[in-house]
Amino acid sequence: MKTDLLPLSQISDALASGEVSPEALLEASLARIRAVDGKLHAFLRLTENEAHAAAKAAAQRRANRNPAGPLDGIPIALKDIYCMEGVETTCGSKILRGYIPPYDATVVRKLKQAGAVIVGKLNMDEFAMGSSTENSAYGPTMNPWDLSRTPGGSSGGSAAAVAARLVPGAFGTDTGGSIRQPAAMVGCAGMKPTYGRVSRYGVIAFASSLDQVGPFAQDVRGVAYLLAAVAGYDENDQTSSKRPVPDYAAALGRGVSGLRIGVAREYFGEGLSPEVERAVRAGIERLRGLGCEVRDISLPNSPHAIATYYIVATAEASSNLARYDGVRYGYRARAGQLLEMYEKTRAEGFGAEVKRRIMLGTYALSAGYYDAYYLRAQKVRALIRRDFDQAFATVDAVVSPTSPTTAFRLGEKLDDPLAMYLSDVYTVPVNLAGLPGISIPCGFDSKGLPVGLQLIGKPFDEETLLRIARAAEPPGHRLPPIVEDH
Amino acid sequence: MAVADFEPVIGLEVHAQLLTRSKIFCGCSTRFGAPPNTQVCAVCLGLPGALPALNRGAVVMAIKAGKAFGCRIAERSIWARKNYFYPDLPKGYQISQYELPICSGGAVPVPGLGKIGLERIHLEEDAGKNIHAEGGSEVDLNRSGVPLIEIVGKPELRSAEEASEYLKALRLALIYLGINDGNLEEGSFRCDANVSVRRKGESKLGTRVELKNINSFRFVRQAIEYEIARQVELIEGGGKVAQETRLFDNEKGVTRPMRSKEEANDYRYFPEPDLPPLLVSRELLDSVTVPKLPQEVVEMLGAAGVPAADARAIVSDPRLVEVHRRIGVDAKRAALFVVGELARAVNENEADLGALKFDPALVPAVWKLQDSGAISSTAAKEVLAELIRTGEAPEKIVERKGLAQVSDSAALEAVVDAVIARHPAEVEKYKGGKASLLGFFVGQAMKDLKGKGNPGALNGLFKKKLGEADGTHKAK
């Protein structure tokens, strides 16, 4: 197998042994993007000049036997939600078309320091609002396993790029499942760390109390490398945690025997596709086979998570997106008067789903409705968090399906927002509780579409989560047809 | 008109810029007057992805105000977003405090009014400034993110005059605390007023009107007086006061409607998710020290023997208090110097209280020269003026300007003898009882000495040489 088709950690090993050079990897990545991305549309733009310079510098460090770490020289790509100095960053929205940030997000700065070669910016649902990447103002991304299907979302570009081996690793963001759900839909690993584990500075906000940065890779070890490079306290993000960052990769080798895994009955109910359930239960049995103790648990308030989420997230979004007013940057509509300028700019600059959520959130915060909606949602959120706290008194991790179905067809749920929202029914509670979660591949349905298994961990216990995920991930790496065709 | 039948009820909301060097949520400078949009960054421009990081200095200043006014300081207070659209508000929301402010309760001492209660003091960020020019409007965001405290007073004021006194006392107190420069012109101390009226004896409050754009003590009085009269007239005429916000037109001296209650913004306050709750530890609270407030300094000066009028004049500017303190001895005489020579020099632009050229501790040295007779009182004034201007040591000034008096008795005696010899007729008259001629003799001697004779010593010498004049003759 070609080196660039290997999972990230093996590419890292190949770089370390000198088997492959950063420049060769970059060329292979760019060649594959040129050949395949016309069909996938994972990338919104490439940063070839910066990437060539970065690959050259990485090669120099590798030659000097002074690499910056396991990522030094590895091509990666970023969801177009990360501000990158001098590179257009649109957040999938028309309202930010042409916007060039004057600074790097903390995550981008750390990745550059780690020697990662950033090849481009990836497609996403506008402002990370969506579960299919169809809400991008720049057109949808296709699923590498079936081009008529979506890769999930909102980080669909990131997931598709990794699954199609356009890059070994990518970063997305996860507010209600936007990393884990697309990872499940395309059959790769994707992790949402604990809220506060990774700095949000320079990551364009959707819902500040829920947003979290996270990595995609083919393998769990690759995820661990990527997470280690970006995790940690940042004085520019006061919601980031000062807890020390453990050595994630070192935790992976330890076995899982004796770990207690909780199976919540609320995550195997109505709406779950039988094929997904079968694959996930098989995954649970594999964990049992590895010596895990599997326990039934209950997370009774989880069924309220979607309703709670669509109040909290939209309320915060309605405020976070107020800055896109046409005054300082981004799109501005022609208008004679200030109010008219605001109205036309936002009417023309935002897509339908973004407008829907701004209106929902504005309503939830309005005088006379605040107590009934926002305040009540915060109370339910506290109950959901308490459910998990109680569960973690008896188990080390919770296992569930990542999403109730495998990848759905383009357009299938576009006119039915509620059906689309339910695609995140198992991932949303994790964001509301601020916990770490990871999705790993656990087989295929009868159509040959990947199924994802979600593991949920204790706050800041990414180590245990990665350790279980590593043990449970499938040994083989089946390639999607689009890669084999190429 | 029957204004006298009504009782005005006034509460003031003051926005005071805190004197931190950098903004409340980023490292940009707070310096006033820089070219537009030169003190800005991703955070205070509200660029996508930017997040606020709290400047603890602003918190310390808010605590200082809270302690000075006897407020309760919350161990845990909450940041909130106040949402509205305006071009000078780059994020589309202002980070403020709403449900749980850092300070609540407390009161401001106002001379003549006792204590005026406070509802709360909270921290927030300032907005930028719209500049309306020909051909369009522009936005300057240098001020965006400058830290403010909003001091919300209880509606305990009963006249425009009281409102003005309260504001003056509050402003001076903030200056004493070193947390605000009290500059109304540059907008670092701003005021809104809530005004209502009710018939005397009525306990229910009338409908209140919020007045904006009253940024001088004179405008505060004018706007409130106008508004009281307007509301009384309205009620007397059978009308009703509408709850609204009105803008003061300082050229015409009237208030006019800005927006009605129905048009008022729904600010959709909610807890700011980008900032954790603001925690004030016991250690932090105890570490914040509060200097003496104006009222206490007046009392202290009075106790030291400074006349009340001088004390009030000195207290009106904490820099004068500082000079007075640094003189160090003889509080009463030091006060005379501060309100006399120093005030005069400041008025004549020969001294700048913000950048004094002299060490006030040198002032007593001048007094000593004067008291010992080394220089005359006229010369002492000149030395003080020169000291203020240059900071040069008093002895050096005396030497350089040749102001030393001749007190050497041999030298003086020769002159006295010469004067007596030159004026036999006057000597005769003096001896005959015209005591007032003593001044004439001293004057003649001074002339011979080019003004540098010690007048006391000369007096003594003439008396000794001519014998005491017989005062009883003089009375005839």
Side-chain angles (χ1 to χ4, degrees), chain A residues 83 99 102-103 200-203 208 235-239 319-320 322-324 328-329 338 342 362 365-367 370 374, chain B residues 42-43 45-51 53-54 81 83 85-87 90-93 141 266 268-271 273-276:
Chain A
C83 290
Y99 173 69
Y103 74 104
R200 294 183 293 116
Y201 189 76
V203 182
S208 310
E235 61 178 11
N236 289 325
D237 175 3
Q238 302 207 327
T239 64
S319 176
N320 282 333
R323 68 187 63 193
Y324 309 106
R328 292 164 310 283
Y329 47 77
L338 179 66
Y342 282 152
T362 303
L365 290 175
S366 296
Y370 180 86
Y374 185 80
Chain B
V43 175
L45 285 176
L47 294 190
L51 295 172
L54 177 63
R81 290 188 184 178
N83 295 283
F85 286 94
Y86 205 58
K91 298 188 295 295
Y93 57 85
L141 293 170
D266 177 357
R268 290 173 283 121
Y269 282 101
F270 75 104
D274 285 330
L275 289 168

Side-chain angles (χ1 to χ4, degrees), chain B residues 397-410:
Chain B
I397 298 171
V398 169
E399 196 186 314
R400 180 165 56 79
K401 304 196 102 183
L403 293 170
Q405 293 192 124
V406 179
S407 299
D408 170 47
S409 52

Side-chain angles (χ1 to χ4, degrees), chain A residues 85-395:
Chain A
E85 187 179 343
V87 176
E88 183 184 1
T89 300
T90 67
C91 219
S93 181
K94 179 182 171 187
I95 212 159
L96 279 177
R97 172 175 270 163
Y99 173 69
I100 297 175
Y103 74 104
D104 277 340
T106 300
V107 166
V108 173
R109 179 172 54 78
K110 286 187 161 191
L111 286 169
K112 285 179 175 175
Q113 280 165 3
V117 175
I118 300 169
V119 303
K121 304 295 285 292
L122 296 158
N123 200 13
M124 57 184 285
D125 283 302
E126 183 179 9
F127 285 102
M129 296 178 186
S131 308
S132 68
T133 317
E134 292 167 289
N135 294 333
S136 169
Y138 305 99
T141 296
M142 271 52 79
N143 192 313
W145 295 90
D146 178 346
L147 296 177
S148 72
R149 291 176 188 272
T150 86
S154 65
S155 312
S158 308
V162 168
R165 307 315 199 256
L166 305 185
V167 279
F171 276 85
T173 58
D174 190 318
T175 305
S178 280
I179 290 173
R180 291 158 290 158
Q181 184 258 20
M185 298 292 171
V186 303
C188 70
M191 182 174 214
K192 179 204 101 73
T194 310
Y195 184 80
R197 181 68 293 179
V198 185
S199 168
R200 294 183 293 116
Y201 189 76
V203 182
I204 298 178
F206 159 16
S208 310
S209 75
L210 300 161
D211 294 345
Q212 187 56 200
V213 161
F216 289 88
Q218 276 308 320
D219 60 333
V220 172
R221 182 172 292 276
V223 166
Y225 287 168
L226 292 168
L227 177 61
V230 299
Y233 175 69
D234 175 14
E235 61 178 11
N236 289 325
D237 175 3
Q238 302 207 327
T239 64
S240 66
S241 170
K242 286 184 175 162
R243 280 170 183 257
V245 178
D247 183 347
Y248 295 122
L252 299 179
R254 283 182 242 150
V256 294
S257 179
L259 288 178
R260 299 157 304 171
I261 310 287
V263 180
R265 69 178 73 95
E266 292 82 5
Y267 287 65
F268 290 86
E270 198 188 337
L272 176 61
S273 131
E275 288 196 74
V276 170
E277 176 165 4
R278 201 171 308 131
V280 171
R281 292 219 183 264
I284 294 169
E285 286 317 306
R286 276 200 304 280
L287 285 171
R288 198 196 300 272
L290 291 165
C292 288
E293 185 189 325
V294 178
R295 295 186 176 186
D296 285 332
I297 59 161
S298 175
L299 297 164
N301 288 292
S302 286
H304 306 305
I306 288 283
T308 303
Y309 174 83
Y310 277 94
I311 290 168
V312 174
T314 59
E316 291 179 10
S318 72
S319 176
N320 282 333
L321 271 60
R323 68 187 63 193
Y324 309 106
D325 58 5
V327 174
R328 292 164 310 283
Y329 47 77
Y331 179 74
R332 179 193 286 190
R334 287 179 174 280
Q337 293 299 317
L338 179 66
L339 187 62
E340 188 193 358
M341 191 277 280
Y342 282 152
E343 289 173 350
K344 285 177 77 175
T345 294
R346 291 166 68 82
E348 294 165 16
F350 288 135
E353 182 62 26
V354 170
K355 283 186 234 179
R356 175 159 36 239
R357 296 199 194 188
I358 290 174
M359 284 188 278
L360 280 171
T362 303
Y363 184 82
L365 290 175
S366 296
Y369 297 98
Y370 180 86
D371 288 2
Y373 292 102
Y374 185 80
L375 214 56
R376 200 173 173 83
Q378 290 296 1
K379 286 176 187 164
V380 178
R381 183 178 184 177
L383 293 178
I384 290 169
R385 199 177 292 136
R386 202 186 60 187
D387 281 356
F388 278 107
D389 287 345
Q390 285 170 353
F392 285 125
T394 58
V395 298

